[in-house]
Amino acid sequence: MTNTQSFQAVNPATGESLPGDFYEATDDQVNEACERAAEAFQVYRKKSGPEKAAFLERIATEIDALGDDLLQRANAETGLPLARLTGERGRTTGQLRLFAEYLREGSWVNARIDTALPDRQPLPRPDLRQMLRPLGPVGIFGASNFPLAFSVAGGDTASALAAGCTIVVKAHPAHPGTSDLVGQAIRQAVAACGLPEGVFSMVHGRGTAVGMAMVQHPEIKAIGFTGSFRGGKAIYDAAARRPEPIPVYAEMGSTNPVFFLPGALKNSTKLAQAYVGSITLGVGQFCTNPGVAIMAPCDEAEAFTQAARQAIGEVAPAPMLTQAIQQTYVKGITQLAGLPGVEVIGMQGGETYAHGTAALLTAKAGTLLQYPELAEEVFGPGSVLVEADSREQMLTIARSLHGHLTATIHGTDDELPDYADLIDILEQKVGRLLINGFPTGVEVGHAMQHGGPYPATTDARSTSVGTNAILRFARPVCYQGFPPALLPDELKDGNPLNIWRLVNGEWTK
Ligand code: NAP
């Protein structure tokens, strides 16, 4: 069946349609992409670490080769500045190359060997060897706010391909042209590496039908998603209702609470500027945006609030990713500003198409406890700042928080040890704890954790950034009593791949 429904990309800075028609995938096309991914999985799952590494590196090379055309198109479709997009392209290709290195090193498969004990009494122990194997075809939703690094060739794609999974990407409708360019780069890498075409497929769609068809397809074995709570939860529920439920790794955002202790607030102007800088970075369109901040009761709190108010007023409106995101932001801030006892600075209204104005909402800490929605994500350049009446109230607020990606404490070396209880509470609420930093800016590395307890994500054990993201798309398989020739190289005697393995309880190489 041919697809007839087409749409165009819109420049969020101007509201103008951009050249190029994109076609909504039909059910048949989604089905075909998933079937091809399943077929290709039978080939790709057997590729060695170095073979998959060469493929990831080739994708990075092909993305680089797109040159400025990619950046120009992404700039027109998202309103994100070229400098930011240049950095994001580096992050995207760097991420692919990092996974390539990780695959060549090879120990990620977590090989474990318990050799046979034929003479053990009362029963002999069989030879048991375990390692991680890929899950199967993965469905990936491109995110709107990172058109490169969390989109078609983003972290979900890099980690799923690294694990040995084939993928079907549902491109985000806010940047379809950028998605097509990156998709083309991946297809070229697939061909150059002699892999089956079904290793990578991409479908377009506006509205939920295309994504849902992918989630419900029996050949899809896991989902990666970054976006709204509403979208992520709907996809999670749909996946759980399938005849064969599958894991959904949905990263749905967070308000990333920041706690300011009295000693840190002494440096009020500089700290307030850094706080506002973090709120407004990228027009606030980061899942790590500090959307709520709690000041310890102290004399400096008023000066900090004034400095933050001044800094927020100096930030010029800038285009958000889409008009819908801007409208949701304005609605969210307006609703919070209407709560009793909440004051708002910024948000004059009347902004041009899709432009977002920074907003700072201030309130008593008691109001935050009374209206928990003040601590919920309003995606955009806004934050809620409160002063606690007492140390105990600050701890009560910390205890009342639901799951977030991050939490931050600003304090001096002298005072931080006195707040071990606060650290203890926050450790149970988030995936990443920061001292004297700001949560925006997520390093891609081995030690990063970008995830957190529900509702920040649907699986607190997982990360969507860093090399541990590969674990989402792999499952352990134990080989019992296998003849050596039939074992994967990772588990063979003599350790031919020279990887770290747990052999009879001892890590060895
Ligand atoms: P979104 O509405 O969650 O959409 C993300 C992707 O999921 C899109 O491809 C969307 O398809 C699809 N989708 C959404 N709901 C679905 C459903 N019920 N079934 C199947 N597919 C579904 O996010 P967005 O459009 O990027 O931005 C909207 C809001 O998401 C923002 O205002 C913000 O609150 C939040 N957001 C959060 C983060 C974060 O990092 N936490 C990042 C980006 C956005 P269609 O667009 O075709 O419907």
Side-chain angles (χ1 to χ4, degrees), residues 148-167:
L148 302 173
F150 277 88
S151 199
V152 180
D156 288 346
T157 293
S159 52
L161 290 176
C165 297
T166 53
I167 59 173

Side-chain angles (χ1 to χ4, degrees), residues 62-76 82 85-86 89 148 178 181:
E62 296 289 346
I63 291 173
D64 284 338
L66 292 170
D68 284 351
D69 288 355
L70 176 66
L71 301 181
Q72 298 289 354
R73 181 73 195 192
N75 167 258
L82 285 171
L85 290 164
T86 306
R89 180 179 57 186
L148 302 173
T178 308
L181 285 169

